[in-house]
Amino acid sequence: MNTVEITYEQMKQWEEESYLLIDIRSESHLGYGTIPNAIHIPYEQIEEKKDTFSKDKKIVFYCTRGVISRDLAGQLQEEGYLSYSLAEGYTGWLVSEMNQKQEKEEEAKAKEVEKSIRKKFHKQLFSKFAKAINEYQLVQEGDKIAVCISGGKDSMLMAKLFQELKWHNKFPFELVFLVMDPGYNAVNRQIIENNAKLLNIPITIFESDIFDAVFNIEKSPCYLCARMRRGHLYSKAKELGCNKIALGHHYDDVIETILMGMLYGAQVQTMMPKLHSTNFEGMELIRPMYLIREDDIKHWRDYNELYFIQCACRFTDTCSTCNPDGSSSSKRMEVKHMIAQMKKTNPFVESNIFRSMENVNLDTVIGYKQNGVRHHFLDDYKSSCERKESQEL
């Protein structure tokens, strides 16, 4: 920076009576606005009026972009005046003011969002978030959790709920808000960054080439993409000293996954609230949104007039899951519609599906797998019958 230049922030640190701010632009430029407390003396009149300036008082000149005022300030400095030029002139000041205003609006927006979580949506969102954490023992003292943000509504809300949990400060734990860029298009990347700033979420972004790696894979690219993304998140989280990664799957994801497994995978299984990593020793995956309904997430989003990316997938950019042929997405939508239809005649169908995974009766199951070992009811059918007969005698 030139020695005659000074920023507006530096100038404002001076006592107001110790300097004079002079706008040297033409009369026509004043119509676009002026800096508060500035007096207007056109450049052409400075020479004849400089004798009225005190050489003991600082003088700050500004023009449109700080070029003419810089030359003028340098000239008057040589004549013994305490003269300076406002860096980047009126335009620079205006941009700075706009940025500050945006930051204030963002700060206000973040506070509004946080207030909505504490007040309007406390029962639907934070209470269920805290219940899942307590019921499934998802967070312990001393944890360092990588809150994985994809850019959608679910993961962004999860980040805000974790901030709220941290604010309650029941016990010490650390958070890292982790965003992996697997090859987003420029628009999606910008939306994620803008929303993180708007919501006051201090994200850590790292990049990978996953989309490039799976782009030409014909068989199950989505499965491979999901596995690779999970692996990259575990790896980066561990590198940052985390012992857990948190994903934003919610209640509706859980019950839809149960039915999809039965109808399309011929198996009974669920999306677990937490898992030990098999490839990254000491790492865990947790799902703290496990009990939160998707409709409540949408309501929170719309109430706060927030807009998130629909899909990060390079193949479609419109789907709800990473899938180039749409099959998985269409199956999930089919199951979602099926549940909605059943709910019309049975309002408890969703909770019944969810609770079914907590009420598995192994006495009435033909076969099951545990720790990779397959079991069949005939394995101990005869011995169990003998036990019952001995109990009856």
Side-chain angles (χ1 to χ4, degrees):
M1 178 182 291
N2 195 299
T3 55
V4 301
E5 286 187 312
I6 187 170
T7 66
Y8 185 73
E9 289 72 22
Q10 291 172 320
M11 185 189 75
K12 292 301 290 182
Q13 293 177 6
W14 295 341
E15 292 290 336
E16 193 168 322
E17 298 80 13
S18 68
Y19 70 92
L20 189 65
L21 180 61
I22 301 177
D23 186 337
I24 64 171
R25 296 175 300 161
S26 66
E27 192 77 34
S28 61
H29 282 83
L30 296 184
Y32 295 105
T34 61
I35 298 177
N37 300 320
I39 64 172
H40 179 233
I41 304 177
Y43 175 76
E44 295 82 8
Q45 298 178 18
I46 295 295
E47 182 64 26
E48 65 182 72
K49 293 194 176 183
K50 67 180 181 182
D51 292 338
T52 63
F53 304 152
S54 170
K55 290 189 176 182
D56 296 325
K57 190 169 187 176
K58 302 182 186 76
I59 307 167
V60 181
F61 298 106
Y62 73 87
C63 57
T64 301
R65 296 188 179 277
V67 177
I68 298 174
S69 59
R70 184 174 60 225
D71 293 339
L72 175 62
Q75 176 187 328
L76 291 187
Q77 271 194 10
E78 294 177 357
E79 297 179 22
Y81 292 92
L82 299 176
S83 56
Y84 300 87
S85 170
L86 187 64
E88 299 180 354
Y90 177 78
T91 302
W93 171 83
L94 182 60
V95 170
S96 176
E97 284 294 293
M98 291 175 66
N99 289 339
Q100 288 182 27
K101 182 179 179 182
Q102 183 177 351
E103 289 175 3
K104 290 178 182 177
E105 289 175 350
E106 288 169 351
E107 183 179 351
K109 185 67 173 181
K111 289 182 178 179
E112 287 177 10
V113 169
E114 290 161 3
K115 182 179 178 181
S116 74
I117 291 173
R118 292 171 187 164
K119 301 292 184 180
K120 184 174 179 64
F121 297 100
H122 187 273
K123 181 178 179 181
Q124 302 95 316
L125 299 179
F126 185 74
S127 290
K128 291 183 178 179
F129 182 78
K131 181 180 179 181
I133 285 174
N134 292 328
E135 189 167 320
Y136 303 119
Q137 300 177 16
L138 302 183
V139 179
Q140 277 81 38
E141 184 174 336
D143 279 345
K144 186 172 183 179
I145 304 167
V147 181
C148 300
I149 299 175
S150 65
K153 66 185 190 312
D154 307 326
S155 60
M156 283 293 190
L157 172 60
M158 177 176 65
K160 294 307 297 179
L161 290 170
F162 262 118
Q163 286 181 325
E164 184 69 14
L165 185 69
K166 184 76 174 172
W167 182 78
H168 281 75
N169 201 29
K170 296 287 186 180
F171 52 83
F173 65 94
E174 295 182 61
L175 298 173
V176 174
F177 299 100
L178 195 58
V179 176
M180 181 184 65
D181 183 346
Y184 292 139
N185 64 45
V187 174
N188 275 342
R189 170 77 176 244
Q190 191 62 51
I191 291 173
I192 293 171
E193 292 179 354
N194 288 350
N195 276 326
K197 187 177 180 183
L198 181 70
L199 295 173
N200 194 24
I201 302 171
I203 58 176
T204 297
I205 302 179
F206 73 101
E207 298 178 352
S208 72
D209 59 356
I210 291 177
F211 283 173
D212 286 335
V214 303
F215 190 77
N216 294 317
I217 302 295
E218 294 183 4
K219 187 176 181 180
S220 302
C222 299
Y223 173 76
L224 179 61
C225 180
R227 288 290 300 271
M228 290 179 69
R229 281 186 290 172
R230 187 78 55 85
H232 277 69
L233 288 169
Y234 269 127
S235 180
K236 187 64 177 181
K238 191 165 187 177
E239 177 188 319
L240 295 173
C242 299
N243 64 311
K244 293 178 179 178
I245 66 171
L247 301 184
H249 297 116
H250 49 67
Y251 185 98
D252 296 73
D253 290 326
V254 175
I255 61 176
E256 289 160 15
T257 299
I258 294 169
L259 284 191
M260 287 177 69
M262 295 174 65
L263 299 177
Y264 301 111
Q267 57 187 341
V268 177
Q269 64 177 17
T270 190
M271 183 181 283
M272 297 296 287
K274 66 179 180 179
L275 294 167
H276 287 292
S277 171
T278 55
N279 298 316
F280 294 86
E281 186 178 355
M283 295 291 292
E284 255 187 297
L285 180 156
I286 61 173
R287 295 184 171 102
M289 306 269 283
Y290 204 77
L291 301 178
I292 296 178
R293 298 306 309 267
E294 185 176 25
D295 282 346
D296 291 327
I297 299 174
K298 290 178 178 178
H299 189 190
W300 167 81
R301 175 199 64 194
D302 297 341
Y303 176 83
N304 288 290
E305 297 181 340
L306 299 171
Y307 302 92
F308 304 108
I309 64 172
Q310 281 188 291
C311 178
C313 178
R314 177 186 295 179
F315 300 103
T316 64
D317 281 333
T318 56
C319 65
S320 58
T321 57
C322 177
N323 186 1
D325 60 13
S327 58
S328 177
S329 178
S330 62
K331 287 175 182 176
R332 185 169 289 277
M333 289 305 300
E334 183 179 337
V335 168
K336 192 183 288 286
H337 292 150
M338 184 188 304
I339 294 172
Q341 287 298 316
M342 289 189 291
K343 189 177 178 180
K344 292 179 180 178
T345 55
N346 178 7
F348 305 107
V349 66
E350 293 157 315
S351 60
N352 286 346
I353 295 171
F354 185 90
R355 291 171 57 207
S356 68
M357 293 294 101
E358 300 175 346
N359 295 300
V360 177
N361 187 345
L362 292 181
D363 292 334
T364 63
V365 172
I366 294 174
Y368 65 95
K369 285 195 299 185
Q370 187 174 27
N371 297 324
V373 179
R374 184 175 292 278
H375 301 271
H376 195 275
F377 85 104
L378 290 178
D379 294 344
D380 64 347
Y381 180 75
K382 186 174 181 179
S383 60
S384 64
C385 181
E386 291 173 349
R387 286 196 300 272
K388 289 182 179 179
E389 289 177 350
S390 64
Q391 291 173 357
E392 292 174 355
L393 291 177

